[in-house]
Amino acid sequence: MRLDKFLAESGIAGRRKVRALIQSGKVTVNQVIVTEPAMMIRKEDVVEYEGERITYQEKRYYMFHKPSGCVTARSDEVHKTVMDYFREEPKGIFPVGRLDKDTEGLLFLTNDGEFDYAMMNPTKHVEKRYFFWALGQMDEETRKQIETGVEIGDGDLFTKPAKLEITESGDLAMYQEKLKGLTLRPYNQGAYNRKLIGGYLTICEGKKHQVKRMLKAHGCYVLYLKRVAIGDIELDPQLNKGEHRELTAKEIDILMNRNEKQD
Ligand code: URA
């Protein structure tokens, strides 16, 4: 691997800055100052920057189909975590953002802090698309209000513009077949009028329980929630719940370049 790539991917700095650092004589390979960024290095070479040994961290990116019932945390004393599904993978990877314990669907994991920032920082406006089933009803006016902004806090916490598509609406009884096999959130069967809606809510922020709170603000109780896409990347239908695969170079490129355009 090229020396500049090695240093950039190890998190020293971006490629351009790394080249300048090498050219200014701050990097040694096997204790010899090297000023050629394109120099090829081998696994056994000892690379030091300002006297400190640099260990290569190969960047890894995963797409995970999170099942309901595990928490999005690096560790937890009580619950199973998403990391329990990654025991075979290299250390140092972490979940990008979080899904509630009872939410299913697309979750990225990585050891790349820049990728995490690009996906999660609110200034990057990365859209997250959720499929939901919720008890309740919704008219067109309410749907539009939710898209414009909903107060979900105790005071002035308004959500940013969102996209809400209602694809199903009717009596709960009509949907028994479609709900069969899904892990539903607990609900008081007498408390609602037993109408059901289903659809997609796309948001570009990540406030705690945001989808549930947005729908709740207008009297709808989420029974089932699944994240189906982040940016332009959809959950791979080949992945069963609890399974993961590496993101392809093309997917990483789509996600990262999309954000560069937003900056
Ligand atoms: N919104 C929620 O309410 N829960 C999630 O897990 C993600 C978004």
Side-chain angles (χ1 to χ4, degrees), residues 181-233:
L182 298 182
T183 310
L184 302 183
R185 299 179 64 226
Y187 66 101
N188 175 351
Q189 308 223 347
Y192 288 83
N193 56 4
R194 299 175 70 80
K195 293 281 182 196
L196 187 79
I197 53 170
Y200 294 89
L201 181 57
T202 305
I203 54 177
C204 60
E205 359 164 47
K207 296 188 166 75
K208 205 170 177 198
H209 311 313
Q210 184 162 343
V211 173
K212 291 170 188 160
R213 288 159 75 197
M214 286 174 79
L215 293 172
K216 187 85 186 290
H218 287 281
C220 296
Y221 174 81
V222 170
L223 280 185
Y224 173 80
L225 190 60
K226 176 177 183 178
R227 183 153 67 191
V228 294
I230 298 175
D232 290 331
I233 303 303

Coordinates of all heavy atoms in Angstrom, one line a residue, residues 181-233:
G181 N -46.9 -12.3 12.2 CA -45.5 -12.6 12.1 C -44.6 -11.4 12.5 O -43.4 -11.5 12.6
L182 N -45.2 -10.2 12.6 CA -44.4 -9.1 13.0 C -44.4 -9.0 14.5 O -45.4 -9.3 15.1 CB -45.0 -7.8 12.4 CG -45.1 -7.6 10.9 CD1 -45.7 -6.3 10.5 CD2 -43.7 -7.8 10.3
T183 N -43.3 -8.5 15.0 CA -43.2 -8.3 16.5 C -43.8 -6.9 16.7 O -43.2 -5.9 16.4 CB -41.8 -8.3 17.0 OG1 -41.2 -9.5 16.5 CG2 -41.7 -8.3 18.5
L184 N -45.0 -6.8 17.3 CA -45.7 -5.6 17.5 C -45.4 -5.0 18.9 O -45.2 -5.8 19.8 CB -47.2 -5.7 17.4 CG -47.7 -6.2 16.0 CD1 -49.2 -6.3 16.0 CD2 -47.2 -5.4 14.9
R185 N -45.4 -3.7 19.0 CA -45.2 -3.1 20.3 C -46.5 -3.3 21.1 O -47.6 -3.4 20.5 CB -44.9 -1.6 20.2 CG -43.6 -1.3 19.4 CD -43.4 0.1 19.2 NE -43.2 0.8 20.5 CZ -43.7 1.9 20.8 NH1 -44.6 2.5 20.0 NH2 -43.4 2.5 22.0
P186 N -46.3 -3.4 22.4 CA -47.5 -3.6 23.3 C -48.5 -2.5 23.2 O -48.1 -1.3 23.0 CB -47.0 -3.8 24.7 CG -45.6 -3.3 24.6 CD -45.1 -3.3 23.2
Y187 N -49.8 -2.8 23.2 CA -50.8 -1.7 23.1 C -52.0 -2.2 23.9 O -52.3 -3.4 24.0 CB -51.1 -1.3 21.7 CG -51.8 -2.4 20.9 CD1 -53.2 -2.3 20.6 CD2 -51.1 -3.4 20.3 CE1 -53.8 -3.3 19.9 CE2 -51.7 -4.4 19.5 CZ -53.0 -4.3 19.3 OH -53.6 -5.3 18.5
N188 N -52.7 -1.2 24.4 CA -54.0 -1.4 25.1 C -55.1 -1.5 24.1 O -55.5 -0.6 23.4 CB -54.2 -0.2 26.0 CG -55.5 -0.3 26.8 OD1 -56.3 -1.2 26.4 ND2 -55.7 0.5 27.7
Q189 N -55.6 -2.7 23.9 CA -56.5 -3.0 22.9 C -57.8 -2.2 22.9 O -58.5 -2.0 21.9 CB -56.8 -4.5 22.8 CG -55.6 -5.3 22.8 CD -55.7 -6.5 21.8 OE1 -56.7 -6.8 21.3 NE2 -54.5 -7.1 21.5
G190 N -58.1 -1.7 24.2 CA -59.4 -0.9 24.3 C -59.1 0.6 24.1 O -60.1 1.3 23.9
A191 N -57.9 1.0 24.1 CA -57.6 2.5 24.1 C -57.8 3.2 22.8 O -57.9 4.4 22.8 CB -56.2 2.7 24.7
Y192 N -57.7 2.5 21.7 CA -57.8 3.2 20.5 C -59.1 2.8 19.7 O -59.7 1.8 20.1 CB -56.6 2.9 19.6 CG -55.4 3.6 20.2 CD1 -54.6 3.0 21.2 CD2 -54.9 4.8 19.6 CE1 -53.6 3.7 21.8 CE2 -53.9 5.5 20.2 CZ -53.2 4.9 21.2 OH -52.1 5.6 21.8
N193 N -59.4 3.5 18.7 CA -60.6 3.2 17.9 C -60.4 2.0 17.0 O -61.2 1.8 16.1 CB -61.1 4.4 17.2 CG -60.1 5.0 16.3 OD1 -59.0 4.4 16.2 ND2 -60.4 6.1 15.7
R194 N -59.2 1.4 17.1 CA -58.9 0.2 16.3 C -58.9 0.5 14.8 O -59.2 -0.4 14.0 CB -59.8 -1.0 16.7 CG -59.6 -1.3 18.2 CD -60.6 -2.4 18.6 NE -60.3 -3.7 18.1 CZ -59.3 -4.5 18.5 NH1 -58.6 -4.1 19.5 NH2 -59.1 -5.6 18.0
K195 N -58.5 1.7 14.4 CA -58.2 2.0 13.0 C -56.7 1.8 12.9 O -56.0 2.1 13.8 CB -58.7 3.4 12.7 CG -60.1 3.6 12.7 CD -60.8 3.0 11.4 CE -62.3 3.3 11.4 NZ -63.0 2.5 10.4
L196 N -56.3 1.5 11.7 CA -54.9 1.3 11.5 C -54.4 2.1 10.2 O -55.1 2.1 9.2 CB -54.6 -0.2 11.3 CG -53.1 -0.6 11.2 CD1 -52.6 -0.7 12.6 CD2 -53.0 -2.0 10.6
I197 N -53.2 2.7 10.3 CA -52.6 3.2 9.1 C -51.2 2.6 8.9 O -50.6 2.1 9.9 CB -52.4 4.8 9.1 CG1 -51.7 5.2 10.4 CG2 -53.8 5.4 9.0 CD1 -51.3 6.7 10.4
G198 N -50.8 2.6 7.7 CA -49.4 2.1 7.4 C -48.8 3.0 6.4 O -49.5 3.6 5.6
G199 N -47.5 3.1 6.4 CA -46.9 3.9 5.4 C -45.4 4.2 5.7 O -44.8 3.4 6.4
Y200 N -44.9 5.3 5.1 CA -43.5 5.6 5.2 C -43.3 7.0 5.7 O -43.9 7.9 5.2 CB -42.8 5.5 3.8 CG -42.8 4.1 3.3 CD1 -43.9 3.6 2.5 CD2 -41.8 3.2 3.5 CE1 -43.9 2.3 2.0 CE2 -41.8 1.9 3.1 CZ -42.9 1.4 2.3 OH -42.9 0.2 1.9
L201 N -42.4 7.1 6.6 CA -42.0 8.5 7.1 C -40.5 8.7 6.9 O -39.7 7.8 7.3 CB -42.4 8.6 8.6 CG -42.1 10.0 9.2 CD1 -42.8 11.1 8.5 CD2 -42.5 10.0 10.7
T202 N -40.2 9.7 6.2 CA -38.8 10.0 5.9 C -38.3 11.2 6.6 O -39.0 12.3 6.4 CB -38.6 10.2 4.3 OG1 -39.1 9.0 3.7 CG2 -37.1 10.3 4.0
I203 N -37.3 11.1 7.4 CA -36.8 12.3 8.2 C -35.3 12.4 8.0 O -34.7 11.5 7.6 CB -37.1 12.1 9.7 CG1 -36.5 10.7 10.3 CG2 -38.6 12.1 10.0 CD1 -36.8 10.5 11.7
C204 N -34.9 13.6 8.3 CA -33.4 13.8 8.1 C -32.8 14.3 9.4 O -31.7 14.9 9.4 CB -33.1 14.8 7.0 SG -33.8 16.4 7.3
E205 N -33.4 13.9 10.5 CA -32.8 14.2 11.8 C -32.9 12.9 12.6 O -33.5 11.9 12.2 CB -33.4 15.3 12.6 CG -34.5 16.0 11.9 CD -35.4 16.9 12.8 OE1 -34.8 17.7 13.5 OE2 -36.6 16.8 12.7
G206 N -32.4 12.9 13.8 CA -32.5 11.7 14.6 C -32.8 11.9 16.1 O -32.0 11.5 17.0
K207 N -33.8 12.6 16.3 CA -34.2 12.9 17.7 C -34.7 11.6 18.3 O -35.2 10.7 17.6 CB -35.3 13.9 17.8 CG -34.9 15.3 17.3 CD -35.9 16.4 17.6 CE -35.3 17.7 17.4 NZ -35.2 18.1 16.0
K208 N -34.6 11.4 19.6 CA -34.9 10.2 20.3 C -36.4 9.8 20.0 O -37.3 10.7 20.2 CB -34.7 10.4 21.8 CG -34.5 9.1 22.5 CD -34.1 9.4 24.0 CE -33.9 8.1 24.6 NZ -33.9 8.2 26.1
H209 N -36.6 8.6 19.6 CA -38.0 8.1 19.3 C -38.7 9.0 18.4 O -40.0 9.1 18.5 CB -38.8 7.9 20.6 CG -38.1 7.2 21.7 ND1 -37.4 6.0 21.6 CD2 -38.0 7.5 23.1 CE1 -37.0 5.6 22.7 NE2 -37.3 6.5 23.7
Q210 N -38.0 9.5 17.4 CA -38.6 10.6 16.6 C -39.9 10.2 15.9 O -40.9 10.9 15.9 CB -37.6 11.2 15.7 CG -38.2 12.4 14.9 CD -37.2 13.3 14.3 OE1 -36.0 13.3 14.7 NE2 -37.6 14.1 13.4
V211 N -39.8 9.1 15.2 CA -41.0 8.7 14.4 C -42.2 8.4 15.3 O -43.3 8.9 15.0 CB -40.6 7.4 13.5 CG1 -41.9 6.9 12.8 CG2 -39.5 7.7 12.5
K212 N -41.9 7.7 16.3 CA -43.0 7.4 17.3 C -43.6 8.7 17.8 O -44.9 8.8 17.9 CB -42.5 6.5 18.4 CG -42.1 5.1 18.0 CD -41.4 4.4 19.2 CE -40.8 3.1 18.7 NZ -39.8 2.6 19.6
R213 N -42.8 9.6 18.2 CA -43.3 10.9 18.8 C -44.0 11.7 17.7 O -45.0 12.4 18.1 CB -42.1 11.6 19.4 CG -41.7 10.9 20.7 CD -40.3 11.4 21.1 NE -40.2 12.7 21.6 CZ -39.0 13.4 21.7 NH1 -37.9 12.9 21.2 NH2 -39.0 14.6 22.2
M214 N -43.5 11.7 16.5 CA -44.2 12.5 15.5 C -45.6 12.0 15.2 O -46.5 12.8 15.1 CB -43.4 12.5 14.2 CG -42.1 13.3 14.2 SD -41.1 13.1 12.8 CE -41.9 14.2 11.6
L215 N -45.7 10.7 15.2 CA -47.1 10.1 14.9 C -48.0 10.3 16.2 O -49.1 10.6 16.1 CB -46.9 8.7 14.4 CG -46.3 8.6 13.0 CD1 -46.0 7.1 12.7 CD2 -47.1 9.2 12.0
K216 N -47.3 10.1 17.3 CA -48.1 10.2 18.6 C -48.7 11.6 18.7 O -49.8 11.7 19.3 CB -47.1 9.8 19.7 CG -47.7 9.7 21.1 CD -48.2 8.3 21.4 CE -48.9 8.2 22.7 NZ -48.0 8.3 23.8
A217 N -47.9 12.6 18.3 CA -48.3 14.0 18.4 C -49.7 14.2 17.8 O -50.4 15.1 18.1 CB -47.3 14.9 17.8
H218 N -50.0 13.3 16.8 CA -51.3 13.4 16.1 C -52.2 12.2 16.4 O -53.0 11.7 15.6 CB -51.1 13.7 14.7 CG -50.7 15.1 14.4 ND1 -51.6 16.1 14.4 CD2 -49.5 15.6 14.2 CE1 -50.9 17.2 14.2 NE2 -49.6 17.0 14.1
G219 N -52.0 11.6 17.6 CA -52.9 10.5 18.1 C -52.6 9.1 17.5 O -53.5 8.3 17.6
C220 N -51.5 8.9 16.8 CA -51.3 7.6 16.2 C -50.2 6.9 17.0 O -49.1 7.4 17.3 CB -50.9 7.7 14.8 SG -52.2 8.4 13.8
Y221 N -50.4 5.6 17.4 CA -49.5 4.9 18.2 C -48.8 3.8 17.3 O -49.4 3.0 16.7 CB -50.2 4.2 19.3 CG -49.4 3.2 20.1 CD1 -48.6 3.7 21.1 CD2 -49.4 1.9 19.9 CE1 -47.8 2.9 21.9 CE2 -48.6 1.0 20.6 CZ -47.8 1.5 21.6 OH -47.0 0.6 22.4
V222 N -47.5 4.0 17.2 CA -46.7 3.0 16.4 C -46.7 1.6 16.9 O -46.3 1.4 18.1 CB -45.2 3.6 16.2 CG1 -44.4 2.5 15.5 CG2 -45.2 4.9 15.4
L223 N -47.2 0.7 16.1 CA -47.2 -0.7 16.5 C -45.9 -1.4 16.0 O -45.5 -2.4 16.6 CB -48.3 -1.4 15.9 CG -49.7 -1.3 16.4 CD1 -50.7 -2.2 15.7 CD2 -49.7 -1.6 17.9
Y224 N -45.4 -0.9 14.9 CA -44.3 -1.6 14.2 C -43.5 -0.6 13.5 O -44.1 0.3 12.8 CB -44.8 -2.7 13.3 CG -43.7 -3.3 12.4 CD1 -42.9 -4.3 13.0 CD2 -43.5 -2.9 11.1 CE1 -41.9 -4.9 12.2 CE2 -42.5 -3.5 10.4 CZ -41.7 -4.5 10.9 OH -40.7 -5.1 10.2
L225 N -42.1 -0.7 13.6 CA -41.3 0.3 12.9 C -40.1 -0.4 12.4 O -39.4 -1.2 13.1 CB -40.9 1.4 13.9 CG -40.2 2.6 13.4 CD1 -41.1 3.4 12.3 CD2 -39.8 3.6 14.5
K226 N -39.8 0.0 11.1 CA -38.6 -0.7 10.5 C -37.9 0.4 9.6 O -38.6 1.1 8.8 CB -39.1 -1.8 9.6 CG -38.0 -2.5 8.8 CD -38.5 -3.6 8.0 CE -37.4 -4.3 7.2 NZ -37.9 -5.5 6.5
R227 N -36.6 0.6 9.8 CA -35.9 1.5 8.9 C -35.6 0.8 7.6 O -35.0 -0.3 7.6 CB -34.6 2.0 9.5 CG -34.0 3.1 8.7 CD -33.1 4.1 9.4 NE -32.0 3.4 10.1 CZ -31.2 4.0 11.0 NH1 -31.5 5.3 11.4 NH2 -30.2 3.4 11.5
V228 N -36.0 1.4 6.5 CA -35.8 0.7 5.2 C -34.7 1.3 4.3 O -34.3 0.6 3.4 CB -37.2 0.6 4.4 CG1 -38.2 -0.3 5.2 CG2 -37.8 2.0 4.2
A229 N -34.3 2.5 4.6 CA -33.3 3.1 3.8 C -32.6 4.2 4.5 O -33.2 4.9 5.4 CB -33.9 3.7 2.5
I230 N -31.3 4.4 4.2 CA -30.6 5.6 4.7 C -30.0 6.2 3.4 O -29.3 5.5 2.6 CB -29.5 5.2 5.6 CG1 -30.1 4.5 6.9 CG2 -28.6 6.4 6.0 CD1 -29.0 4.0 7.9
G231 N -30.2 7.5 3.2 CA -29.8 8.1 2.0 C -30.4 7.3 0.8 O -31.6 6.9 0.8
D232 N -29.6 7.0 -0.2 CA -30.0 6.3 -1.3 C -29.8 4.8 -1.2 O -30.0 4.0 -2.1 CB -29.3 6.7 -2.6 CG -29.8 8.1 -3.0 OD1 -30.9 8.5 -2.7 OD2 -29.0 8.9 -3.6
I233 N -29.4 4.3 0.0 CA -29.1 2.9 0.2 C -30.3 2.2 0.9 O -30.6 2.6 2.1 CB -27.8 2.7 0.9 CG1 -26.6 3.4 0.2 CG2 -27.5 1.2 1.2 CD1 -26.5 2.9 -1.3

